[in-house]
Amino acid sequence: MLILRIFNRIIFFLILLPTLACAETVKLEDMIINSDHLKINQTTMEATFNGSVVLWFNNGIIIETDKLIITATELNNKRRPEKITIPYKFRAIQNEKNNNTTIIGDKAEYIFRTEELKLSGNINIQSEENFIKCEELVYLTNLKNITTKDK
């Protein structure tokens, strides 16, 4: 089983990653994906990870799920990542020195172009003593500030 997981990881990096790594703002080398099964469809430009899927980011975030899909798009004859989709239940954990955060939900999608993270279905976010529960949450990762207008 361990050999299969390592093989899936190698195949992903050898076949799909070189074509996706052309993105200017996102480096897929900054993450490692481990899964029981990997299916790559060159026609639809999708890599589907199934089974026990674990996604590690260099910034300390770990995501666990049963299925993860990375979709690419072609622009100016270059392939670049378009989105990451998690269609089933997931758990994301970030451990920092003074702040541990856990997010649990039914679905997630990250869109590279807009740097937008969409979480939906039974979203539970816990950060130390703080807790948020909602059905849908959209997080703009490139958001610099929030302004309001009085009516």
Side-chain angles (χ1 to χ4, degrees):
M1 192 65 121
L2 179 62
I3 292 172
L4 181 59
R5 286 175 181 240
I6 293 169
F7 181 71
N8 283 348
R9 212 150 115 201
I10 291 169
I11 293 296
F12 175 71
F13 285 108
L14 290 178
I15 295 175
L16 190 61
L17 196 63
T19 61
L20 291 176
C22 298
E24 291 139 26
T25 58
V26 177
K27 297 176 184 174
L28 291 182
E29 304 91 41
D30 291 343
M31 65 180 168
I32 297 172
I33 303 170
N34 199 347
S35 67
D36 292 333
H37 305 283
L38 170 62
K39 180 180 177 185
I40 296 175
N41 186 327
Q42 292 289 348
T43 305
T44 61
M45 292 190 280
E46 285 185 349
T48 303
F49 299 85
N50 285 303
S52 179
V53 181
V54 181
L55 172 61
W56 291 275
F57 289 95
N58 283 352
N59 63 2
I61 296 174
I62 300 170
I63 299 174
E64 300 170 337
T65 186
D66 291 329
K67 185 173 186 177
L68 182 134
I69 303 164
I70 297 180
T71 307
T73 187
E74 197 163 320
L75 182 65
N76 298 328
N77 295 325
K78 292 183 181 178
R79 287 187 181 177
R80 55 187 61 224
E82 180 179 20
K83 67 181 173 179
I84 295 175
T85 305
I86 301 174
Y88 303 129
K89 292 188 181 290
F90 69 91
R91 180 174 73 166
I93 302 166
Q94 182 173 24
N95 294 321
E96 294 179 344
K97 290 180 183 176
N98 298 319
N99 186 14
N100 297 323
T101 303
T102 302
I103 302 173
I104 298 171
D106 291 343
K107 295 179 184 177
E109 182 177 72
Y110 180 77
I111 301 170
F112 287 92
R113 182 178 49 79
T114 58
E115 297 181 44
E116 186 175 275
L117 176 63
K118 296 177 182 179
L119 308 174
S120 60
N122 300 310
I123 303 302
N124 292 291
I125 303 171
Q126 183 170 359
S127 181
E128 299 301 320
E129 295 90 34
N130 302 312
F131 189 80
I132 297 174
K133 184 173 183 165
C134 59
E135 281 302 309
E136 186 173 296
L137 182 107
V138 177
Y139 178 67
L140 305 173
T141 60
N142 61 353
L143 184 65
K144 302 293 184 229
N145 60 34
I146 298 174
T147 59
T148 61
K149 293 183 180 177
D150 293 331
K151 290 189 177 187

